[in-house]
Structures are given as structure tokens and as C-alpha cells.
Amino acid sequence: MDNFFANFLDDYFAECDEHIINIRDNLLAIEAQINQPQIEHSFLDKLFVSFHSIKGLSGMVGLKEAEELAHEMESYLRLLREKKVILTAPGIDALINGTTILEQVITAYRTQSPLPDLGSIMSQLTNAFAEKLPEPTNLGNNTKTGNNQAVNSSATQISSITLKIQEQAELKSALEQGETAWQFEFLPGQEKADRGINVNTVRERLQVIGKLIHASPKVRQNGEVSFNFVVTTNVPETSFAGWDADGLTYSPYLVTGSEEKSVTKSEEKPEQLASLSPVSSPTPISPLINTTGSTPSNVVRVDLTKLDELMRMVGELVTTRAKFAENLKNIKNKLNATELRALRETNLALERQLRDLREGVMRVRLVPIGEIFTRMQFIIRDLAKESQKQISLQFEGQNTEIDKFVVERMLDPMMHMVRNAVSHGLELPNERISCGKSPEGKISLRAATVGEMVVIEIADDGRGVDVEAVMNQAKKQGLIDSFAQNQTVDSNTILDLMCSPCFSTREQADLISGRGVGMAVVKNTVNELGGFITLDSQRGKGTTLRIQLPLTLAIADALIISVKDQTFAIPQSAVREVLQVPESAIAILENNELIPYRHQVLPLIRLSTVFNLNNSHQFSTNSEIKINQKSSHTQLPAAQSTLKLIVVGNGVNAVAIGVDQILGQQEIVVRPLTDPLVQVIGIAGATELGDGRVVLIIDTLALNRIANSTVKIKNYSEKTA
Amino acid sequence: MTTHPNHSPENHSSLPFILFELAGTTYGLHSQVVQQMEMVQQITPVPNAANFVEGVVFSRGQVIPAINLRVRFGWEKVPYDVRTRLIVINVNHRTVGLITDSAREFISIPQDVILPPPEAISGLSGKYLAGIAMLGERLILILNAEEIINLTTDTSLIVHSS
């Protein structure tokens, strides 16, 4: 039974989530219509339905606080719908704050933490709504009573049972076969239990007379738990008429005309409320029926952990196939050509099909990014008030789809970056005017899919990053050794410094932008998701943070390479070209090796050097290279002095990675290396290639940074040593 | 797997420990933190990691770091043999493998024979020493698993030993 109720609660939370997202979207839509006599009806209808549903659902799970809050807001919306009041600025503020608190209440209930205080929000709501009401003093009390009575009556009301889509279908088909639907309510008790009557025996009884299509627990007003059942049957009523004595009451289950589950609720309750509330007239609620299509019946709600599990299984399949390919390679000499070809073809087909499967699973997990963008709009709304800045927010590419898990992980980082843009980036209106900008600062949130990556940009047209302040602060904190004025610093170095833990250029942390841990959190999250951030800032013109995230987290294509007998994987998405050049093509500039590449020069990074591979021979290897460099024209045969290079990165950030051998290309299951013991610069994660061995995945962007940074940032061990 | 004869399991003030050997000394880890013990498989070195981090291994669907406890405590590395074991511990949501010379005993130690580490060695190694137990003639050093895998504890070790 516990399990049963828990499942029911899961549904409750999921449904509330959906409604709150819906509420947010529609609140923002009506915000533009403040003080206008006519508000687009469809928005109000949707808001009304959502608040009403949350109210009803909260009542069913016994979360009275959410029920009351939703009720308060629903009442206001009813007045708006009936044009009894005009939407005012305090009114919309109250609705927005109310929604925030409502979400907090539901979250607190889910996490079993203390509920937030409702006193102030309730009075804000009442005050705001009372402003233009004909009978301002009565409203609060009346709606309260209305609320309680509604709950009381819902305890006895028939249609308060919400049928799932599947259950509706079962009900429908049973009715079509001429069966009758009955609703039973069972109230357990000690005395009944002693007689051997409990929820399980009741269930069995019901299953005997017909088909049990629905069962749900209900918390009654007095705290008792009762159980609702819906049964379809063709036995006459007389066969269960005597069950009243066992605490099992019944009544005909009224089937409403529509398939929509929220309609079954809304048809009953608003009318009761309408008759109880003095300010509203019993208007027909027919428009509701048209607006409840937000959850089409062909949509299935799936728990994310189930999808995670599915993705993990696909990952295992990929690894198993790799093992199969490996084994096939081992026995190829023992097979004749026909047998080998058949097996190879099967293997290739398997690979192709797995790829399709993986893509299919991935697609299921994608959700539009617009959901977080809308949340940012709320945050900016508040920030604008606190900071007295004028802000306009622009969206681009809200429909860009991204992994659900990634969206959830990116919420906090996005909030940090938006806060930073407001508090550090945008100037106050006066300052902007004196710089010749419009007083209204602009923040843009953009998203787009580029190949296998999703790009998210947070851009502002504010003052840009103060490079000097960042460098001086970094020096003060011992992150860098020296900084000469007017020294040019590349933007990635600045970003790295800004992302160091506890870095903040503000002398005192302010409320909005926190204490400088923000960017560190942003960077860590993005890295954990397998993505990277770049910074583009121009003094006086603005700042753009660009985040690139892989579409899929779990599985990627990679080049498998080796250096000094150690194998590594390089994500294919980063690789631009694979080259072979003679050692003689390397030019040396101070401590750097450079490679000519398509009319430009790329820094060469030898993995053996960066990773200190083959420690004991490292120095001799280096000197050998230099000898080669000088003498390769005359002494060494060309074949021995070629260098295999993998070009990664774009434009000015491109680098050539020097490796010993390129072993092939393979689909890999990416496993993050989250333990601090093995978080090192240049390694993004690990994978296993099918033979049980772990292979490290190269972080090409980190290598880019090593090659292109103009200022050396000390890493942890150097700093403390 | 042997249980010490003097201390039966029904003595409820006893705590269960996994014992392992390192350079001839017996150490104990509370069995609660130990997830499993394995033969040492292929370890992939991680470049530029701390010197006592031997690399990463694949264990039960997870890639986890493997610490060489000999190096961690400042001794010479020895080649792995058939008795070498990887003890996989789980502390603070981190899973880490510890490479030990051998590990095969599970034992209950009565709480009253576990003494706090003496002042004299509470310096460097005292940090990861949770206590000392005397079982008859046998000395068992009980480790603080949290400290062993703590990176800041590492740095102090590197500084002191260099």
C-alpha cells in the first residue's frame, strides 16, 4: 500500500511540474497586457486550468498549503476571466511570487523539508487582488470558506477520481460492451481489519464482480486514508448492495463526455465554487474543455531514470559489440574468406543498428531548451528590480532540443551566468546613456544545434570584462606570478582565472552575484557534461559566454591513438583533420614547436611531453627530436622522421596534437572521471574498449588552452609546493 | 576468512573490520566502507596525477582511481603478485581502489581494545590513523578511509617527504 501511494505521489509531482511550467509561460504572456481592459482569453483559461488542477491534486494528496495558495490565485483568475477586475502590476507580481512559493511548497513536500512561510504571500495575494474588487473586505473570508467546503464536498463527490489515459480507454471499451461503471470507496479501520476486511480483500472482492480499472488512495479532510476504486461490471447492483456494512460504499461512476482527465475534475468543481463564492456568477465553463489539450493523449510520461537505464544498456551493447569485433579480429586467420566476410557483414550491420538504436534513445531524452530560458526571464525580472537596471531579454532558438539531464544540470549554471551578466555586465541606465548606449541593457539567450553539439550563448551589451581587474585579483590570490600592464591576455586565460574557485573581482560579494564560486560551478558542471565554455568580451561593448555541450552524454565516436605504448581516445567531434608531416617541417620558436598548416601556423603539442609519458626516457626523447630537427635533411630516411598529427579546434584556437600511432576509430561509452584524485588537465574522461582495459579520453580543449594561453596559470600542486 | 577465536560475533560492542597487509604491517578498515576486494587487473596510468595514484581501473561498470598504498605511506613500490589485492572502498560518495600487498581477513574487534593513536605518531601519519588495536600479540593499525583518499592530506605528504 505504501508503494501504491508513493506511485500516486510521483504522478502528483510530475503533473504539478507540468502545470507550473505551463503557468510560467502563460504568466509571462499576460504580463504584457497589464492595465488593459481585455486580456487574451486563452492565456487566462490555461492559467485557470493549471491552478485549478494543482489545487485539486494537492487536495487529494493532502497538501493543504498548496491547495489554498492555488485556490487564491485561481479565484483571482476567475475574476479576470469574468472581467470583474483589471490585471494590475501588483496583481501580476502577486501571481508570479505566488507561483514561485507554490513551487517551493510542492518541492518542500517532495523533499520532506519544512514548508516555506505562506503568511506574507497570502497577504500579498489578498491585497493585490482586493485592489479593484467590488467587495474587497469579504473576499478573503469568502474564498476561504468556499475552499473548505469545496474540499469537504470533494470527499463525497463522485468525479474527483482522476483516471489515467490507459484507464480511460479501458473504461470506454468496457462501457461499449454494455457494462456498468461503479465507484467504490473503502474506509479501512481496526474493527474491519479484525474481521479480515482490508484493502486487499476488498480488491479481491471487486475483482470477482468485474474488472477493477482504477484504484487510488485518498487523504480525507480528517486525515484518514480511504481508497477509491472504479469497477466495470455486468452483474446487477444487488450483488454488492450489502457491502455497505463492510465500510465499502458505492455509487454509479459518472462518465463525462470527454476523454480528457482534467475535464472530469473541472466540470464538477468550478461549478460548486461558483455557487459558493458571492463574487462569481455560475458562468458556463465550456471554454475549459477546449483548452485542456496541453497533454495530448498520445504522449507518454517516462521517468528519467528509466531512460538512463535504457541508455546504459545501449552503452553495454556498444561495448559488447566492440568485444565481438575484437574477437573476430583474433580468429580471422582461422576462417575462410566466405565465413569471414559473412561475420564481418553481420558485425557491420550490428554496428549500424546499434547506432540507430542509440540515436533513437537519445532523441527520446531531448527536450526544448526554452524551458530554462523562460525561467531566466523570471530571474531577470527580479534582478532588474533589485539592481535598478533596465533590462530587456531576448531569446533565440528556444526550440533547440537538448538532453533532459543536461537541461536540469545547466539550470544553476545558467542562473549564475545571467546573474553575472546583470550585476557585473550591465551598467546602470545613467552610465549607459553617458557611454552613448540605450538606457536599456540587453541580455540575449541563444541556443542552436551545431553538428553533434548544442551551443548556448549568454550575451550582454554591458561594460565587458575588466581584464586588468581580473589579472590584478589573480595576482593577489597567487594564481599567476606576474602581470605587466597593457600585456595582452587571451580571453581563455581570463575565463580560466574567473573560473578558479573563490575568484571574485568584487571587493564585497553582493546579494545578486554571490561570492565568486559561481563561475567555478559553471565550469565544473559544463566539464562534467563533457562540454566547454569560451569567453568573448570587448571592453565597453559586452560579454558573450558560449557553452558547447555534446548532444549525447554517454556514447561518442572517437579516434583511438597511442603514445609511448599508452592508448588514448580523442573525441571525433573535436577532430578537424589527421595529418602526417615530416619532422623537418617543424619550426621552433623559443620553447614552442610550430607546424605549417593551410597558410597558417599551428602550435604542436606532443602528448608524450604534456603527459610526461615514459618518464625515464623523456629527456633523451626530447633531445633526439632536436637532433632530428637539425640533421633530418641529410641523415634520416624520410619514413622514420614523419610525425602523425591530429588537428583539433577551430580558427585561431586550432592546435596539432602529435601522437605515435593512429590505431583506428571506434564508438566509445564515455565515463566521467569525477574523482579529484584523477582529475588532471588534458583528460576529459575514460572508456573501456571491449578488452576490459580502461582508456583515457583526451580533453582537446584543455590542450588548446595549454598551447594558446599567454599567461601560465599554476595548477594546484605547483601552487602549494 | 577467519574470526578471531577470543571474540565471538555475538559480542555486540565489536566492530567488523577488513584486515590487510602492507610492508609486513597489518592494517584494518571498517568493513562498512569496503565495497569489495578484487585481484588487481589492468591499471591504466593517469598522466600528471599525484604519485601515489597508480591509475584508473574498471570495476563493476565504473572507472575508479586506484591508489598505491605503499607509495601513499612513503614506501617503495613492489611488483604485483598473486596476493596483491585491490580493496574498493566507498566513502562520501567516492569509490576508490586501494592496492595492498594482501587482504583476506574479516574480523570483529571489540571496541574496548581499540585505542586512539598515540601522541608521538599523531603527526603526519596520525591523520589517516583512526586508532590502534591490540589483539593478543597482534598490532592492528586502523585507518581513516576518508583521509587516505583526501587530496589535501596528499599534498602535505608530498611536501614532507620531498
Side-chain angles (χ1 to χ4, degrees):
Chain A
M1 181 189 116
D2 280 349
N3 201 5
F4 183 48
F5 193 63
N7 283 343
F8 180 68
L9 274 181
D10 281 347
D11 278 351
Y12 166 70
F13 294 129
E15 257 184 73
C16 285
D17 276 354
E18 270 174 28
H19 285 303
I20 283 182
I21 289 170
N22 182 23
I23 287 169
R24 270 208 203 91
D25 286 345
N26 288 300
L27 280 181
L28 292 171
I30 63 165
E31 194 183 2
Q33 303 177 9
I34 285 176
N35 293 333
Q36 302 203 350
Q38 184 85 28
I39 298 177
E40 184 65 38
H41 225 272
S42 64
F43 296 133
L44 288 181
D45 288 345
K46 284 180 193 156
L47 282 170
F48 186 85
V49 170
S50 288
F51 279 122
H52 184 77
S53 306
I54 292 182
K55 180 176 93 176
L57 292 165
S58 301
M60 282 166 77
V61 300
L63 183 53
K64 241 185 271 166
E65 288 79 1
E67 188 184 1
E68 276 173 29
L69 201 49
H71 173 77
E72 242 0 83
M73 292 191 274
E74 182 197 340
S75 311
Y76 183 50
L77 284 163
R78 185 183 306 110
L79 297 177
L80 285 172
R81 270 159 55 105
E82 289 160 4
K83 303 199 184 71
K84 292 236 163 78
V85 293
I86 288 175
L87 183 68
T88 57
I92 192 97
D93 278 354
L95 283 176
I96 288 175
N97 288 342
T99 307
T100 311
I101 304 275
L102 183 60
E103 193 180 12
Q104 285 169 4
V105 169
I106 295 166
T107 311
Y109 186 62
R110 173 169 13 198
T111 56
Q112 302 189 331
S113 42
L115 298 179
D117 178 44
L118 294 185
S120 66
I121 182 66
M122 282 307 235
S123 59
Q124 190 193 353
L125 287 170
T126 342
N127 289 341
F129 303 163
E131 245 178 30
K132 301 210 171 166
L133 287 181
E135 305 149 277
T137 43
N138 284 342
L139 180 80
N141 295 336
N142 281 332
T143 44
K144 276 263 158 59
T145 4
N147 178 18
N148 287 339
Q149 291 187 15
V151 172
N152 282 337
S153 56
S154 80
T156 53
Q157 270 305 323
I158 293 155
S159 307
S160 60
I161 293 179
T162 310
L163 290 192
K164 290 180 183 159
I165 290 155
Q166 190 196 338
E167 293 167 351
Q168 288 174 10
E170 283 178 34
L171 176 67
K172 200 175 154 203
S173 73
L175 293 176
E176 277 165 8
Q177 286 165 22
E179 295 192 352
T180 334
W182 296 92
Q183 170 184 346
F184 290 85
E185 186 174 0
F186 173 64
L187 186 64
Q190 190 56 47
E191 178 262 339
K192 289 162 208 158
D194 292 343
R195 285 197 284 139
I197 300 164
N198 58 37
V199 68
N200 290 329
T201 57
V202 166
R203 247 171 199 273
E204 282 162 20
R205 254 194 230 189
L206 294 174
Q207 276 159 349
V208 170
I209 60 161
K211 191 172 180 204
L212 182 59
I213 61 168
H214 172 89
S216 60
K218 188 173 75 178
V219 181
R220 288 155 72 114
Q221 213 34 24
N222 55 9
E224 286 176 327
V225 176
S226 68
F227 295 88
N228 280 330
F229 301 95
V230 176
V231 177
T232 55
T233 177
N234 46 22
V235 301
E237 193 181 336
T238 46
S239 51
F240 46 85
W243 290 359
D244 286 14
D246 298 339
L248 190 62
T249 53
Y250 70 93
S251 53
Y253 182 76
L254 297 185
V255 183
T256 56
S258 166
E259 292 295 296
E260 274 296 331
K261 51 182 171 181
S262 35
V263 173
T264 40
K265 286 173 291 177
S266 49
E267 285 209 334
E268 233 14 76
K269 287 228 212 141
E271 266 176 352
Q272 299 161 18
L273 288 172
S275 57
L276 290 165
S277 178
V279 283
S280 53
S281 55
T283 42
I285 39 154
S286 49
L288 281 183
I289 294 163
N290 303 329
T291 56
T292 45
S294 57
T295 317
S297 56
N298 57 352
V299 169
V300 181
R301 195 160 45 211
V302 183
D303 192 346
L304 191 59
T305 52
K306 285 184 188 161
L307 290 180
D308 286 345
E309 187 66 4
L310 204 56
M311 201 59 174
R312 190 190 59 75
M313 289 190 278
V314 175
E316 275 174 8
L317 271 176
V318 168
T319 313
T320 311
R321 197 212 54 87
K323 265 182 208 159
F324 178 72
E326 184 80 23
N327 291 336
L328 184 60
K329 217 182 281 169
N330 292 340
I331 59 161
K332 69 178 175 200
N333 295 330
K334 298 184 180 120
L335 299 172
N336 67 41
T338 330
E339 287 168 334
L340 187 63
R341 186 156 14 96
L343 270 179
R344 274 193 178 144
E345 271 166 19
T346 315
N347 182 37
L348 282 178
L350 198 57
E351 186 180 7
R352 238 184 356 257
Q353 287 157 0
L354 267 177
R355 200 172 283 264
D356 291 346
L357 179 62
R358 162 193 142 190
E359 232 175 82
V361 174
M362 185 192 86
R363 209 145 276 163
V364 174
R365 301 172 52 97
L366 298 182
V367 292
I369 199 164
E371 198 181 297
I372 358 187
F373 281 8
T374 322
R375 277 166 168 257
M376 294 308 127
Q377 196 160 352
F378 275 82
I379 288 159
I380 283 180
R381 222 181 148 273
D382 289 345
L383 291 178
K385 268 190 203 154
E386 282 169 38
S387 62
Q388 301 181 327
K389 291 172 182 172
Q390 294 175 19
I391 307 166
S392 85
L393 183 64
Q394 296 180 338
F395 293 160
E396 246 172 69
Q398 297 104 292
N399 292 329
T400 305
E401 293 197 310
I402 188 165
D403 193 287
K404 173 78 178 162
F405 176 75
V406 176
V407 165
E408 280 179 7
R409 290 298 307 277
M410 282 308 293
L411 185 62
D412 278 346
M414 290 280 287
M415 261 157 58
H416 278 299
M417 287 183 287
V418 165
R419 287 202 178 109
N420 275 345
V422 174
S423 74
H424 296 288
L426 295 184
E427 312 91 333
L428 287 164
N430 289 342
E431 199 183 323
R432 287 183 67 87
I433 293 169
S434 66
C435 297
K437 297 180 186 176
S438 88
E440 192 179 58
K442 206 165 77 184
I443 292 181
S444 310
L445 300 178
R446 295 186 281 258
T449 313
V450 180
E452 289 280 284
M453 305 289 275
V454 172
V455 183
I456 304 172
E457 285 184 352
I458 295 98
D460 67 68
D461 67 345
R463 56 172 78 95
V465 174
D466 185 344
V467 175
E468 218 157 283
V470 170
M471 296 308 281
N472 285 332
Q473 179 69 16
K475 202 173 146 188
K476 218 197 273 177
Q477 296 190 332
L479 294 165
I480 51 170
D481 282 330
S482 61
F483 168 61
Q485 284 210 330
N486 303 325
Q487 182 184 349
T488 51
V489 188
D490 68 293
S491 55
N492 286 330
T493 308
I494 296 181
L495 185 66
D496 279 346
L497 290 171
M498 285 164 59
C499 293
S500 309
C502 304
F503 183 86
S504 178
T505 53
R506 284 269 158 115
E507 288 297 310
Q508 278 183 320
D510 55 40
L511 259 179
I512 296 176
S513 56
R515 298 184 176 275
V517 290
M519 283 308 288
V521 171
V522 172
K523 191 186 168 190
N524 281 348
T525 310
V526 171
N527 284 357
E528 270 172 37
L529 294 172
F532 50 90
I533 319 182
T534 47
L535 171 78
D536 181 13
S537 179
Q538 275 184 297
R539 203 67 203 276
K541 294 219 173 120
T543 307
T544 301
L545 279 164
R546 180 178 296 113
I547 296 171
Q548 282 179 261
L549 295 165
L551 259 183
T552 35
L553 291 172
I555 306 169
D557 283 313
L559 274 188
I560 311 298
I561 57 108
S562 78
V563 185
K564 305 272 177 228
D565 294 332
Q566 187 167 349
T567 310
F568 293 93
I570 299 180
Q572 190 93 52
S573 58
V575 176
R576 201 158 126 199
E577 195 170 346
V578 179
L579 293 177
Q580 207 164 3
V581 298
E583 286 273 0
S584 58
I586 302 171
I588 294 182
L589 181 72
E590 288 176 20
N591 293 324
N592 302 310
E593 292 182 295
L594 300 172
I595 293 279
Y597 173 74
R598 296 192 183 181
H599 312 297
Q600 78 183 89
V601 178
L602 298 182
L604 166 63
I605 292 193
R606 292 177 191 263
L607 278 189
S608 52
T609 315
V610 179
F611 288 157
N612 292 313
L613 295 175
N614 222 350
N615 259 330
S616 50
H617 304 296
Q618 193 204 348
F619 296 106
S620 60
T621 319
N622 276 351
S623 54
E624 254 173 43
I625 292 164
K626 276 171 196 146
I627 294 162
N628 288 354
Q629 180 60 31
K630 285 175 194 154
S631 54
S632 58
H633 295 291
T634 49
Q635 289 175 358
L636 287 164
Q640 271 183 23
S641 59
T642 57
L643 188 62
K644 294 191 177 75
L645 296 177
I646 293 166
V647 181
V648 297
N650 283 317
V652 289
N653 282 328
V655 293
I657 300 176
V659 303
D660 290 352
Q661 279 188 59
I662 294 160
L663 303 173
Q665 186 194 348
Q666 195 171 329
E667 212 173 18
I668 58 167
V669 180
V670 178
R671 297 175 193 279
L673 283 180
T674 46
D675 198 281
L677 288 172
V678 285
Q679 277 185 331
V680 295
I681 293 172
I683 300 294
T687 184
E688 92 270 31
L689 287 187
D691 55 1
R693 257 185 325 154
V694 177
V695 165
L696 300 176
I697 303 168
I698 307 259
D699 182 353
T700 54
L701 200 88
L703 296 184
N704 261 332
R705 295 231 180 117
I706 293 172
N708 288 311
S709 65
T710 44
V711 179
K712 185 168 165 35
I713 301 174
K714 296 179 186 177
N715 65 32
Y716 185 79
S717 56
E718 283 175 82
K719 210 174 122 187
T720 45
Chain B
M1 291 280 183
T2 56
T3 307
H4 201 279
N6 296 339
H7 302 280
S8 51
E10 52 265 29
N11 183 346
H12 45 253
S13 63
S14 293
L15 296 170
F17 284 89
I18 304 283
L19 299 192
F20 64 87
E21 305 277 329
L22 208 61
T25 310
T26 307
Y27 292 85
L29 275 170
H30 198 290
S31 69
Q32 209 172 15
V33 300
V34 177
Q35 191 177 302
Q36 81 253 21
M37 286 188 277
E38 299 175 0
M39 304 281 283
V40 175
Q41 307 282 330
Q42 183 85 36
I43 297 182
T44 303
V46 175
N48 300 337
N51 66 337
F52 58 85
V53 175
E54 196 89 347
V56 285
V57 288
F58 191 64
S59 166
R60 295 199 182 169
Q62 234 186 327
V63 177
I64 59 166
I67 289 177
N68 190 322
L69 270 195
R70 275 180 163 267
V71 182
R72 185 76 175 92
F73 293 162
W75 296 314
E76 279 296 298
K77 250 189 215 187
V78 293
Y80 304 150
D81 58 28
V82 288
R83 297 177 61 221
T84 310
R85 286 292 178 281
L86 186 75
I87 302 181
V88 180
I89 60 169
N90 202 316
V91 189
N92 294 340
H93 308 291
R94 288 171 62 189
T95 310
V96 177
L98 308 176
I99 300 163
T100 61
D101 290 359
S102 73
R104 52 200 172 78
E105 248 180 308
F106 177 84
I107 199 171
S108 277
I109 303 179
Q111 257 172 325
D112 51 19
V113 305
I114 303 175
L115 306 170
E119 284 291 320
I121 56 161
S122 65
L124 167 64
S125 47
K127 262 193 179 171
Y128 23 92
L129 203 56
I132 292 178
M134 284 299 295
L135 278 186
E137 290 299 296
R138 219 165 157 202
L139 178 75
I140 297 162
L141 302 180
I142 292 163
L143 294 176
N144 180 343
E146 210 168 315
E147 287 297 332
I148 292 175
I149 59 171
N150 189 342
L151 251 183
T152 49
T153 314
D154 301 345
T155 329
S156 68
L157 174 78
I158 295 164
V159 172
H160 282 262
S161 59
S162 61

